[in-house]
PDB file of all heavy atoms in Angstrom:
ATOM      1  N   TRP A  17      32.283  59.251  27.870  1.00  0.00           N
ATOM      2  CA  TRP A  17      32.008  57.848  27.548  1.00  0.00           C
ATOM      3  C   TRP A  17      30.678  57.687  26.831  1.00  0.00           C
ATOM      4  O   TRP A  17      30.562  56.954  25.856  1.00  0.00           O
ATOM      5  CB  TRP A  17      32.021  57.032  28.835  1.00  0.00           C
ATOM      6  CG  TRP A  17      31.459  55.665  28.708  1.00  0.00           C
ATOM      7  CD1 TRP A  17      30.302  55.202  29.239  1.00  0.00           C
ATOM      8  CD2 TRP A  17      32.036  54.568  28.008  1.00  0.00           C
ATOM      9  NE1 TRP A  17      30.126  53.878  28.913  1.00  0.00           N
ATOM     10  CE2 TRP A  17      31.169  53.473  28.152  1.00  0.00           C
ATOM     11  CE3 TRP A  17      33.203  54.409  27.257  1.00  0.00           C
ATOM     12  CZ2 TRP A  17      31.425  52.235  27.593  1.00  0.00           C
ATOM     13  CZ3 TRP A  17      33.466  53.172  26.695  1.00  0.00           C
ATOM     14  CH2 TRP A  17      32.583  52.103  26.861  1.00  0.00           C
ATOM     15  N   LYS A  23      24.889  54.574  23.821  1.00  0.00           N
ATOM     16  CA  LYS A  23      23.954  53.510  24.154  1.00  0.00           C
ATOM     17  C   LYS A  23      22.552  54.035  23.877  1.00  0.00           C
ATOM     18  O   LYS A  23      21.998  54.793  24.653  1.00  0.00           O
ATOM     19  CB  LYS A  23      24.076  53.103  25.631  1.00  0.00           C
ATOM     20  CG  LYS A  23      25.411  52.476  25.984  1.00  0.00           C
ATOM     21  CD  LYS A  23      25.529  51.096  25.385  1.00  0.00           C
ATOM     22  CE  LYS A  23      26.804  50.439  25.854  1.00  0.00           C
ATOM     23  NZ  LYS A  23      26.988  49.113  25.240  1.00  0.00           N
ATOM     24  N   MET A  34      20.620  44.280  18.295  1.00  0.00           N
ATOM     25  CA  MET A  34      21.736  44.364  19.241  1.00  0.00           C
ATOM     26  C   MET A  34      22.064  42.991  19.807  1.00  0.00           C
ATOM     27  O   MET A  34      23.239  42.600  19.895  1.00  0.00           O
ATOM     28  CB  MET A  34      21.364  45.319  20.378  1.00  0.00           C
ATOM     29  CG  MET A  34      22.402  45.417  21.487  1.00  0.00           C
ATOM     30  SD  MET A  34      21.733  46.265  22.943  1.00  0.00           S
ATOM     31  CE  MET A  34      20.524  45.062  23.514  1.00  0.00           C
ATOM     32  N   HIS A  38      25.625  40.686  19.488  1.00  0.00           N
ATOM     33  CA  HIS A  38      26.359  40.110  20.620  1.00  0.00           C
ATOM     34  C   HIS A  38      26.523  38.603  20.449  1.00  0.00           C
ATOM     35  O   HIS A  38      27.602  38.051  20.703  1.00  0.00           O
ATOM     36  CB  HIS A  38      25.632  40.411  21.932  1.00  0.00           C
ATOM     37  CG  HIS A  38      25.866  41.785  22.466  1.00  0.00           C
ATOM     38  ND1 HIS A  38      27.132  42.250  22.794  1.00  0.00           N
ATOM     39  CD2 HIS A  38      25.006  42.808  22.726  1.00  0.00           C
ATOM     40  CE1 HIS A  38      27.039  43.495  23.249  1.00  0.00           C
ATOM     41  NE2 HIS A  38      25.766  43.846  23.220  1.00  0.00           N
ATOM     42  N   CYS A  63      33.426  39.248  25.257  1.00  0.00           N
ATOM     43  CA  CYS A  63      32.152  39.280  24.539  1.00  0.00           C
ATOM     44  C   CYS A  63      30.981  39.054  25.488  1.00  0.00           C
ATOM     45  O   CYS A  63      29.934  39.706  25.371  1.00  0.00           O
ATOM     46  CB  CYS A  63      32.140  38.226  23.435  1.00  0.00           C
ATOM     47  SG  CYS A  63      33.239  38.580  22.051  1.00  0.00           S
ATOM     48  N   ILE A  64      31.148  38.129  26.416  1.00  0.00           N
ATOM     49  CA  ILE A  64      30.086  37.864  27.388  1.00  0.00           C
ATOM     50  C   ILE A  64      29.860  39.076  28.284  1.00  0.00           C
ATOM     51  O   ILE A  64      28.718  39.449  28.581  1.00  0.00           O
ATOM     52  CB  ILE A  64      30.421  36.619  28.230  1.00  0.00           C
ATOM     53  CG1 ILE A  64      30.365  35.361  27.360  1.00  0.00           C
ATOM     54  CG2 ILE A  64      29.466  36.487  29.410  1.00  0.00           C
ATOM     55  CD1 ILE A  64      30.827  34.104  28.074  1.00  0.00           C
ATOM     56  N   ALA A  65      30.942  39.730  28.701  1.00  0.00           N
ATOM     57  CA  ALA A  65      30.815  40.924  29.548  1.00  0.00           C
ATOM     58  C   ALA A  65      30.053  42.021  28.818  1.00  0.00           C
ATOM     59  O   ALA A  65      29.184  42.685  29.394  1.00  0.00           O
ATOM     60  CB  ALA A  65      32.198  41.418  29.960  1.00  0.00           C
ATOM     61  N   ALA A  66      30.373  42.223  27.534  1.00  0.00           N
ATOM     62  CA  ALA A  66      29.682  43.248  26.754  1.00  0.00           C
ATOM     63  C   ALA A  66      28.209  42.897  26.590  1.00  0.00           C
ATOM     64  O   ALA A  66      27.334  43.765  26.677  1.00  0.00           O
ATOM     65  CB  ALA A  66      30.351  43.399  25.393  1.00  0.00           C
ATOM     66  N   ALA A  67      27.920  41.618  26.356  1.00  0.00           N
ATOM     67  CA  ALA A  67      26.535  41.189  26.185  1.00  0.00           C
ATOM     68  C   ALA A  67      25.733  41.397  27.465  1.00  0.00           C
ATOM     69  O   ALA A  67      24.588  41.862  27.433  1.00  0.00           O
ATOM     70  CB  ALA A  67      26.499  39.720  25.766  1.00  0.00           C
ATOM     71  N   LYS A  68      26.330  41.068  28.600  1.00  0.00           N
ATOM     72  CA  LYS A  68      25.627  41.241  29.872  1.00  0.00           C
ATOM     73  C   LYS A  68      25.386  42.717  30.173  1.00  0.00           C
ATOM     74  O   LYS A  68      24.365  43.073  30.780  1.00  0.00           O
ATOM     75  CB  LYS A  68      26.422  40.571  30.994  1.00  0.00           C
ATOM     76  CG  LYS A  68      26.360  39.046  30.951  1.00  0.00           C
ATOM     77  CD  LYS A  68      27.093  38.413  32.127  1.00  0.00           C
ATOM     78  CE  LYS A  68      26.931  36.900  32.129  1.00  0.00           C
ATOM     79  NZ  LYS A  68      27.651  36.255  33.256  1.00  0.00           N
ATOM     80  N   THR A  69      26.322  43.578  29.771  1.00  0.00           N
ATOM     81  CA  THR A  69      26.129  45.015  29.967  1.00  0.00           C
ATOM     82  C   THR A  69      24.883  45.493  29.227  1.00  0.00           C
ATOM     83  O   THR A  69      24.158  46.364  29.712  1.00  0.00           O
ATOM     84  CB  THR A  69      27.364  45.789  29.478  1.00  0.00           C
ATOM     85  OG1 THR A  69      28.477  45.459  30.308  1.00  0.00           O
ATOM     86  CG2 THR A  69      27.135  47.292  29.544  1.00  0.00           C
ATOM     87  N   ASP A  70      24.624  44.910  28.065  1.00  0.00           N
ATOM     88  CA  ASP A  70      23.438  45.271  27.281  1.00  0.00           C
ATOM     89  C   ASP A  70      22.251  44.362  27.604  1.00  0.00           C
ATOM     90  O   ASP A  70      21.300  44.275  26.831  1.00  0.00           O
ATOM     91  CB  ASP A  70      23.755  45.201  25.785  1.00  0.00           C
ATOM     92  CG  ASP A  70      24.556  46.413  25.316  1.00  0.00           C
ATOM     93  OD1 ASP A  70      24.499  47.459  25.994  1.00  0.00           O
ATOM     94  OD2 ASP A  70      25.230  46.326  24.272  1.00  0.00           O
ATOM     95  N   THR A  71      22.334  43.679  28.735  1.00  0.00           N
ATOM     96  CA  THR A  71      21.254  42.828  29.266  1.00  0.00           C
ATOM     97  C   THR A  71      20.777  41.763  28.273  1.00  0.00           C
ATOM     98  O   THR A  71      19.581  41.492  28.171  1.00  0.00           O
ATOM     99  CB  THR A  71      20.056  43.675  29.769  1.00  0.00           C
ATOM    100  OG1 THR A  71      19.463  44.375  28.671  1.00  0.00           O
ATOM    101  CG2 THR A  71      20.477  44.644  30.854  1.00  0.00           C
ATOM    102  N   VAL A  72      21.720  41.170  27.550  1.00  0.00           N
ATOM    103  CA  VAL A  72      21.372  40.013  26.719  1.00  0.00           C
ATOM    104  C   VAL A  72      21.058  38.845  27.661  1.00  0.00           C
ATOM    105  O   VAL A  72      21.843  38.562  28.576  1.00  0.00           O
ATOM    106  CB  VAL A  72      22.535  39.639  25.778  1.00  0.00           C
ATOM    107  CG1 VAL A  72      22.223  38.365  24.997  1.00  0.00           C
ATOM    108  CG2 VAL A  72      22.839  40.793  24.823  1.00  0.00           C
ATOM    109  N   VAL A 151      37.020  49.559  30.385  1.00  0.00           N
ATOM    110  CA  VAL A 151      36.199  50.595  31.019  1.00  0.00           C
ATOM    111  C   VAL A 151      35.217  49.934  31.966  1.00  0.00           C
ATOM    112  O   VAL A 151      34.499  48.993  31.596  1.00  0.00           O
ATOM    113  CB  VAL A 151      35.428  51.426  29.978  1.00  0.00           C
ATOM    114  CG1 VAL A 151      34.549  52.468  30.672  1.00  0.00           C
ATOM    115  CG2 VAL A 151      36.396  52.114  29.021  1.00  0.00           C
ATOM    116  N   LEU A 153      32.170  50.633  35.055  1.00  0.00           N
ATOM    117  CA  LEU A 153      31.247  51.592  35.637  1.00  0.00           C
ATOM    118  C   LEU A 153      30.799  51.081  37.002  1.00  0.00           C
ATOM    119  O   LEU A 153      30.350  49.943  37.131  1.00  0.00           O
ATOM    120  CB  LEU A 153      30.036  51.781  34.725  1.00  0.00           C
ATOM    121  CG  LEU A 153      30.334  52.275  33.304  1.00  0.00           C
ATOM    122  CD1 LEU A 153      29.038  52.393  32.505  1.00  0.00           C
ATOM    123  CD2 LEU A 153      31.071  53.607  33.327  1.00  0.00           C
ATOM    124  N   GLU A 204      28.870  47.676  37.616  1.00  0.00           N
ATOM    125  CA  GLU A 204      27.708  47.598  36.738  1.00  0.00           C
ATOM    126  C   GLU A 204      28.074  47.092  35.352  1.00  0.00           C
ATOM    127  O   GLU A 204      27.276  46.430  34.689  1.00  0.00           O
ATOM    128  CB  GLU A 204      27.041  48.972  36.641  1.00  0.00           C
ATOM    129  CG  GLU A 204      26.473  49.451  37.963  1.00  0.00           C
ATOM    130  CD  GLU A 204      25.677  50.724  37.834  1.00  0.00           C
ATOM    131  OE1 GLU A 204      25.718  51.348  36.748  1.00  0.00           O
ATOM    132  OE2 GLU A 204      25.017  51.110  38.814  1.00  0.00           O
ATOM    133  N   SER A 205      29.264  47.428  34.880  1.00  0.00           N
ATOM    134  CA  SER A 205      29.722  46.915  33.599  1.00  0.00           C
ATOM    135  C   SER A 205      31.235  46.953  33.557  1.00  0.00           C
ATOM    136  O   SER A 205      31.867  47.772  34.227  1.00  0.00           O
ATOM    137  CB  SER A 205      29.148  47.723  32.422  1.00  0.00           C
ATOM    138  OG  SER A 205      29.729  49.010  32.357  1.00  0.00           O
ATOM    139  N   ALA A 206      31.809  46.045  32.764  1.00  0.00           N
ATOM    140  CA  ALA A 206      33.252  45.989  32.567  1.00  0.00           C
ATOM    141  C   ALA A 206      33.490  45.451  31.166  1.00  0.00           C
ATOM    142  O   ALA A 206      33.165  44.297  30.888  1.00  0.00           O
ATOM    143  CB  ALA A 206      33.916  45.086  33.610  1.00  0.00           C
ATOM    144  N   GLN A 207      34.006  46.284  30.285  1.00  0.00           N
ATOM    145  CA  GLN A 207      34.194  45.847  28.914  1.00  0.00           C
ATOM    146  C   GLN A 207      35.291  46.651  28.238  1.00  0.00           C
ATOM    147  O   GLN A 207      35.727  47.691  28.738  1.00  0.00           O
ATOM    148  CB  GLN A 207      32.898  45.971  28.130  1.00  0.00           C
ATOM    149  CG  GLN A 207      32.333  47.396  28.072  1.00  0.00           C
ATOM    150  CD  GLN A 207      31.030  47.449  27.315  1.00  0.00           C
ATOM    151  OE1 GLN A 207      30.949  47.070  26.156  1.00  0.00           O
ATOM    152  NE2 GLN A 207      29.977  47.905  27.990  1.00  0.00           N
TER     153      GLN A 207
END
Side-chain angles (χ1 to χ4, degrees):
W17 167 250
K23 295 289 185 183
M34 176 193 68
H38 280 300
C63 290
I64 292 174
K68 287 183 176 179
T69 294
D70 283 338
T71 64
V72 175
V151 178
L153 301 179
E204 296 187 350
S205 71
Q207 59 182 302

